C-alpha cells in the first residue's frame, strides 16, 4: 500500500513518515503543494495524506487540481476545527479529515478505514433508468454520456442507487458516505447532493434525485 504524504513541517512530516512506514506502508513524503500535486498525478497511490497549510500552493488547491483527473482517497489535515474548513475540504472531494494536533493512532485508524473502503471488489454494474454505474471501474454514464464524479459524489450516487425508491436521511448519508457523524452539520450532504445533481440531473429533462422535505433524498423516476 503506497501513501503520499504532503506535509511541510519537517518534524511532523518525519514523524508521520516513520510511523506509517513502521505500520507497513510505503511512504513518499513531499513538502510543497506543487510537489504533492506532481507526485499524485504521476504516480499511483492508494491514499494521500494532505496538509492544508502548505507553501507555494495550499492543500485545497492541490485537492481541487487533483480531482479533475484522479479519485485517489484523500485524508486532509487541518489546523483549525472550523466547520467551513471541513465543508470546504469535503466539498472539494476529500474523503476524510483530521484536526491537528492528533494522535498517531487516530491517523492510522482513519488511514486503514479509507484503504479498506478503497476500490471495491464487487463485480457489479447497477442500472437505474438510463444511468449505468460500474462499481469496479467507478464509472458512471447517463444515456450516451460519461458523468465524471469525485470519489464522494460517486459514493453518494452508489448509496442512493443501491436503495432506489427509498428515502435516505441526511444523517444516514453522512454516516455511510463520510463515515462520520455530522450531527447538525448536514450541510455537507446538501452540498454534495447539489453537486451530484448538477452533473447527473441538470443536463436532462428527467430528474432522478429528489428532495423529500424534512426527510432526505431519494433516487427514483417520477412521471
Ligand atoms: Ca503545514
Amino acid at each position: 500500500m503506497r501513501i503520499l504524504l504532503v506535509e511541510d513541517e519537517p518534524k511532523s512530516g518525519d514523524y508521520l513518515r516513520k510511523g506509517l512506514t513502521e505500520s507497513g506502508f510505503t511512504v513518499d513524503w513531499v513538502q510543497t503543494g506543487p510537489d504533492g500535486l506532481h507526485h499524485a498525478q504521476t504516480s499511483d497511490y492508494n491514499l494521500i495524506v494532505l496538509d492544508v497549510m502548505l507553501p507555494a500552493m495550499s492543500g485545497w488547491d492541490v485537492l481541487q487540481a487533483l480531482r479533475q483527473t484522479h479519485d485517489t482517497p484523500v485524508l486532509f489535515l487541518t489546523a483549525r476545527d472550523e466547520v467551513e474548513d471541513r465543508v470546504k475540504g469535503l466539498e472539494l472531494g476529500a474523503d476524510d479529515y483530521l484536526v491537528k494536533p492528533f494522535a498517531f493512532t487516530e491517523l492510522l485508524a482513519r488511514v486503514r478505514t479509507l484503504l479498506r473502503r478503497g476500490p471495491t471488489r464487487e463485480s457489479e454494474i447497477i442500472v437505474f433508468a438510463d444511468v449505468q454505474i460500474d462499481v469496479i471501474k467507478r464509472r458512471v454514464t447517463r444515456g450516451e454520456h460519461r458523468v465524471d464524479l469525485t470519489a464522494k459524489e460517486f459514493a453518494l450516487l452508489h448509496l442512493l442507487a443501491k436503495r432506489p425508491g427509498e428515502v435516505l436521511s441526511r444523517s444516514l448519508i453522512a454516516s455511510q458516505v463520510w463515515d462520520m457523524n455530522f450531527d447538525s452539520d448536514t450541510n455537507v450532504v446538501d452540498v454534495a447532493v447539489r453537486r451530484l445533481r448538477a452533473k447527473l440531473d441538470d443536463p436532462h429533462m428527467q430528474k432522478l434525485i429528489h428532495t423529500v422535505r424534512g426527510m432526505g433524498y431519494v433516487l427514483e423516476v417520477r412521471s
Side-chain angles (χ1 to χ4, degrees):
M1 286 288 191
R2 295 187 67 204
I3 295 180
L4 175 64
L5 170 65
V6 190
E7 165 65 275
D8 59 310
E9 289 132 63
K11 236 177 110 179
S12 95
D14 191 47
Y15 171 73
L16 293 178
R17 186 180 53 80
K18 275 191 187 132
L20 288 168
T21 304
E22 280 164 14
S23 306
F25 299 103
T26 304
V27 182
D28 287 343
W29 172 30
V30 296
Q31 292 177 273
T32 71
D35 278 352
L37 182 60
H38 178 75
H39 274 71
Q41 285 174 329
T42 54
S43 255
D44 269 343
Y45 292 100
N46 301 96
L47 179 76
I48 299 167
V49 178
L50 180 63
D51 186 31
V52 171
M53 300 294 282
L54 291 169
M57 185 180 187
S58 78
W60 302 137
D61 295 336
V62 172
L63 182 56
Q64 193 163 28
L66 181 70
R67 281 290 176 260
Q68 306 300 317
T69 51
H70 289 68
D71 64 357
T72 317
V74 170
L75 170 67
F76 74 90
L77 309 177
T78 173
R80 302 187 307 156
D81 189 11
E82 302 281 341
V83 169
E84 306 89 83
D85 270 23
R86 277 183 277 155
V87 172
K88 184 171 182 183
L90 298 170
E91 196 177 5
L92 288 174
D95 298 86
D96 202 354
Y97 69 96
L98 267 179
V99 177
K100 292 179 172 181
F102 50 81
F104 180 74
T105 49
E106 177 67 13
L107 175 86
L108 195 58
R110 301 292 181 93
V111 163
R112 290 197 166 131
T113 302
L114 285 173
L115 289 174
R116 235 192 342 265
R117 219 164 33 181
T120 170
R121 295 278 164 263
E122 294 167 76
S123 166
E124 205 182 337
I125 291 181
I126 299 176
V127 179
F128 181 82
D130 56 350
V131 178
Q132 283 212 15
I133 304 165
D134 185 326
V135 177
I136 296 175
K137 293 182 181 157
R138 303 177 80 77
R139 185 176 295 171
V140 176
T141 56
R142 180 152 188 198
E144 301 289 294
H145 302 283
R146 172 89 182 262
V147 184
D148 285 312
L149 301 178
T150 65
K152 280 296 153 198
E153 289 158 2
F154 182 89
L156 175 61
L157 176 61
H158 188 199
L159 177 67
L160 288 164
K162 278 191 292 190
R163 300 163 75 165
E166 189 178 333
V167 180
L168 305 182
S169 70
R170 290 175 175 79
S171 56
L172 179 124
I173 293 172
S175 69
Q176 296 279 310
V177 175
W178 283 272
D179 226 359
M180 291 182 211
N181 177 10
F182 277 97
D183 300 323
S184 54
D185 185 19
T186 48
N187 185 27
V188 172
V189 175
D190 296 331
V191 167
V193 170
R194 199 156 62 230
R195 291 169 57 96
L196 177 59
R197 270 181 169 154
K199 294 178 180 178
L200 190 78
D201 272 349
D202 285 2
H204 299 270
M205 287 286 287
Q206 173 82 66
K207 310 302 178 196
L208 299 175
I209 301 169
H210 304 277
T211 307
V212 181
R213 205 166 288 280
M215 293 181 71
Y217 295 101
V218 60
L219 186 74
E220 67 183 1
V221 176
R222 291 182 179 175
S223 46

